[in-house]
Amino acid sequence: MSDSESEDEGANRQLKFVLLGDGASGKTSLATRFVHDSFGKQYKQTIGLDFFLKRITLPGNINVTLHVWDIGGQTIGSKMLDKYIYGAQAILLVYDVTNQQSFENLENWHNVVKKVNEESETQPRVALVGNKIDLEHMRTVKIDKHLQFCQESHSSSHFVSAKTGDSVFLCFQGIAANLVDVKLNRAEIEQLQNVVRADIVNYSQEPETRSVHSPRSSMCTIQ
């Protein structure tokens, strides 16, 4: 194989991303926002799994095709779950920042991942993704708990909103860049932190609360 052929092969990567987490945590919405840049207002449960494909170009003209596996929340006890996870380069553990139980249940999902990793030659990157930060005023999962989970699970930290698009592209593309050893500069990171206008909701009848700014995606993985 010539050097030019080796370079071409190296510049076109295939990466398998698996989204895990409870139902209604927003996994499908995240995938849909990333792949189609759209958001469905009505919740539709994923049965089994759905597939999404997205080709991106990273700095250095590196083309990467992401195979996004959206795993249904009810598959936690399924014998097929191990097969869905096997061979993934990245595992995104997704929870709803307004739903404490969806965060606590991630331990069960992560235990499955660790079990599969023991039987696999490749070790996927694990990312903790707190979704629905557009509902910051309803947050129940404290940021320090999120960061503690990241430290204990050796995962990268991400806060996103599938509804507004806030940091969704940064999350996926940042993980992909990390996997192929590409570093995003500040301008590229800011461009990926795209916020799409969401519907305005009137909370005038609710007690006034002070919004706490959440950190966005962080690619600092604790080894």
Side-chain angles (χ1 to χ4, degrees), residues 123-127 149-156 178-179 181 219-223:
Q123 299 298 310
R125 302 288 176 87
V126 178
F149 186 99
C150 288
Q151 182 175 6
E152 294 175 351
S153 61
H154 307 290
S155 59
S156 57
N178 191 266
L179 285 167
D181 295 322
M219 293 310 300
C220 296
T221 304
I222 301 173
Q223 299 295 343

Side-chain angles (χ1 to χ4, degrees), residues 33-89:
R33 173 61 74 188
F34 174 60
V35 175
H36 303 297
D37 197 13
S38 63
F39 178 79
K41 295 182 179 180
Q42 293 185 340
Y43 171 66
K44 183 178 180 182
Q45 184 182 30
T46 300
I47 305 299
L49 77 158
D50 282 337
F51 295 96
F52 296 83
L53 283 177
K54 176 77 170 182
R55 186 176 183 182
I56 61 176
T57 301
L58 296 172
N61 200 31
I62 299 177
N63 296 317
V64 180
T65 300
L66 300 186
H67 299 253
V68 181
W69 293 45
D70 171 26
I71 311 300
Q74 80 286 352
T75 61
I76 184 64
S78 170
K79 294 182 179 179
M80 293 297 296
L81 184 56
D82 291 3
K83 296 179 174 60
Y84 296 157
I85 296 173
Y86 189 84
Q89 282 78 35

Side-chain angles (χ1 to χ4, degrees), residues 120-220:
S120 175
E121 296 180 357
T122 59
Q123 299 298 310
R125 302 288 176 87
V126 178
L128 179 61
V129 183
N131 185 32
K132 305 187 184 181
I133 59 172
D134 53 290
L135 300 176
E136 182 62 43
H137 60 288
M138 298 171 60
R139 173 187 285 275
T140 59
V141 181
K142 294 183 179 180
I143 294 176
D144 60 345
K145 292 295 184 181
H146 171 105
L147 297 177
Q148 181 182 351
F149 186 99
C150 288
Q151 182 175 6
E152 294 175 351
S153 61
H154 307 290
S155 59
S156 57
S157 170
H158 309 267
F159 289 98
V160 303
S161 170
K163 183 175 183 179
T164 67
D166 191 354
S167 294
V168 172
F169 296 91
L170 176 60
C171 175
F172 281 90
Q173 295 195 203
I175 294 171
N178 191 266
L179 285 167
V180 299
D181 295 322
V182 171
K183 187 173 182 179
L184 302 177
N185 60 40
R186 181 179 296 274
E188 290 161 342
I189 291 174
E190 290 178 351
Q191 183 179 6
L192 290 171
Q193 283 180 320
N194 178 46
V195 179
V196 181
R197 288 291 181 182
D199 294 337
I200 297 176
V201 181
N202 183 6
Y203 296 106
S204 59
Q205 295 181 350
E206 298 293 333
E208 184 178 354
T209 57
R210 183 179 179 182
S211 177
V212 179
H213 182 71
S214 297
R216 301 300 190 249
S217 297
S218 170
M219 293 310 300
C220 296

